[in-house]
């Protein structure tokens, strides 16, 4: 039975004809007769798995038609399938590079949004002033400048500016001046400096840090004096002098940013970062595949969608390599997986450290299961590119950017790579935002929608009540266009986004 074609509201659902488990669509009392003729052997929580038949020790357990692990204990038909009897097991797959890569048909009609056209050719969905810091030592001063601007009501004279965003972090010094850690932070700061959602940026440094502002300017062409200015606290004569000068510079930059006006732009200028956080047993059935439909619509209109969180596609990477446009692109993704296996091993971790406790309470058991649901956000479009964390994305279409599964860090990388819009699915609930980029929150179930409706923008729980994935995907896509045109999201309306800049720190802190 396909989700979205349900008219009789079954108590549990078999997602694929090959599956040997059902998913409980609501709490199931012991003794309940289930699809397939089995009877619940015990009470099963909503979103959790139920054995459709007897499953012997060591046998694979299938969901979505894919293996999510092995039985680590015999499981009777109707039994609860979870951490007590399901483990990882062997999960090697055939990568089959490009075997399932099929170009999507071009979209019918024209989709547009009202955006800010930048000199770079990019289009912003918001028009913020940024105060970007090169090092943690400049973080307080950046916030002092923003606070001084607020006290002076600086933006009262500049109504087209959406706000002032101080971008502070915990790095920039005490690190090597070369290697993975330095390069990753460099790409992140430079990427924020060029994100189209900033109308102008003031960059503040201390002066003696490892991450030198002149290097950022020279290597990434941050040289538009009308929209990018910088200062260093040591050179300006200390905190008070820097704040005074910063306020004056910010006024000049605000005047420049204020000159921007929204104008029609085709949807191909949208760069969508896709995330899932606080996932549950419904995420891979409702919210994630619905976002996948919206992602495909964007790609068909010439836009770009970014899937990330490498540690949360682990075990499902073969579904992406099969959609790679060529073997080289697929190989780049597998190289990332290999790097992550080594990275976690040398830091005394393991790739099955996921799912989190909240994910498990929501019904997810292994990283294989979580990953299979997570990749559904990517729809069915060919995988046209694979990028490093915060690397500029130059290929339109559906792409992958390397990142941890930690949501604020992953979104930080996507914004640095050029995302001007975020879509974030959640089953347990998430209350974050990501200035300067609006984030659309998508609930996987109606209970979450009712409990946290002030934080959620879309309810995908009605897919379990008969709404089709196709219809919900179109609803999400239309909301993406409205949000890109200026309609505030729930997280924006509540003021989220000031503390979620989290660069990925790799390497020794010295």
């Amino acid at each position: 039975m396909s989700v979205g074609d349900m008219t009789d509201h079954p108590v549990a659902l078999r997602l694929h004809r090959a599956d040997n488990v059902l998913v409980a669509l609501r709490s199931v009392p012991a003794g309940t007769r289930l699809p397939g003729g089995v009877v619940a052997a015990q009470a099963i929580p909503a979103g959790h798995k139920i054995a459709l038949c007897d499953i012997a020790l060591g046998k694979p357990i299938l969901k979505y038609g894919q293996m999510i692990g092995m039985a680590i204990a015999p499981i009777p038909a109707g039994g609860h399938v979870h951490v007590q009897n399901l483990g990882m097991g062997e999960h090697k797959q055939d990568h089959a590079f490009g075997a399932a890569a099929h170009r999507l048909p071009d979209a019918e009609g024209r989709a547009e949004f009202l955006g800010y056209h930048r000199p770079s050719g990019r289009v912003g969905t918001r028009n913020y002033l940024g105060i970007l810091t090169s090092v943690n030592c400049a973080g307080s001063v950046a916030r002092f400048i923003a606070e001084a601007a607020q006290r002076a009501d600086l933006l009262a004279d500049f109504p087209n500016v959406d706000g002032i965003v101080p971008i502070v972090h915990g790095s920039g010094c005490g690190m090597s001046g070369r290697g993975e850690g330095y390069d990753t932070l460099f790409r992140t700061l430079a990427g924020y400096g060029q994100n189209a959602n900033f109308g102008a940026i003031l960059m503040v440094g201390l002066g003696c840090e490892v991450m030198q502002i002149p290097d950022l300017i020279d290597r990434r062409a941050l040289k538009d004096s009308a929209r990018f200015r910088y200062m260093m606290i040591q050179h300006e004569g200390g905190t008070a002098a820097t704040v005074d000068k910063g306020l004056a510079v910010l006024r000049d930059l605000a005047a420049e940013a204020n000159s921007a006006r929204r104008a029609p732009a085709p949807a191909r200028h949208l760069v969508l970062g896709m995330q899932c956080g606080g996932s549950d047993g419904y995420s891979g059935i409702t919210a994630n595949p619905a976002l996948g439909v919206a992602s495909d619509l964007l790609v068909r209109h010439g836009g770009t969608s970014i899937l990330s969180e490498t540690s949360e596609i682990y075990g499902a990477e073969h579904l992406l390599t099969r959609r790679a446009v060529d073997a080289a692109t697929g190989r780049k993704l597998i190289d990332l997986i290999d790097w992550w296996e080594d990275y976690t091993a040398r830091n005394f971790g393991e790739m099955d450290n996921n799912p989190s406790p909240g994910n498990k309470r929501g019904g997810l058991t292994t990283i294989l299961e979580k990953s299979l649901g997570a990749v559904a956000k990517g729809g069915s479009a060919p995988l046209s590119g694979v990028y490093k964390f915060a690397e500029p994305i130059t290929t339109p279409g559906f792409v992958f950017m390397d990142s941890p599964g930690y949501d604020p860090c992953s979104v930080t990388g996507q914004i640095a790579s050029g995302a001007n819009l975020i879509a974030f699915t959640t089953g347990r609930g998430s209350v974050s935002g990501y200035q300067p980029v609006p984030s659309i929150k998508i609930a996987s179930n109606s209970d979450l929608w009712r409990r946290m409706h002030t934080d959620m923008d879309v309810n995908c729980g009605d897919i379990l009540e008969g709404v089709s994935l196709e219809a919900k995907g179109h609803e999400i896509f239309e909301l993406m266009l409205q949000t890109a045109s200026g309609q505030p999201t729930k997280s924006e309306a509540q003021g989220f986004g000031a503390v979620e800049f989290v660069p990925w720190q790799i390497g020794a802190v010295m």
Side-chain angles (χ1 to χ4, degrees), residues 178-185 187 339 343 346 504 506-507:
R178 60 182 180 177
E180 285 179 323
Y182 179 87
D183 292 343
T184 299
L185 180 61
R187 290 194 304 271
W339 183 92
Y343 177 61
R346 61 184 147 97
W504 185 9
I506 305 174

Side-chain angles (χ1 to χ4, degrees), residues 10 30 87 245-246 280 296 415 491:
K245 182 176 178 180
D280 68 353
D296 282 349
I415 294 172
S491 61

Side-chain angles (χ1 to χ4, degrees), residues 133 135-144 166-169 204 233:
T133 54
V135 65
N136 174 260
C137 309
S140 291
V141 172
R143 286 186 169 143
F144 295 160
I167 302 291
V168 303
H169 56 98
V204 181
I233 299 164

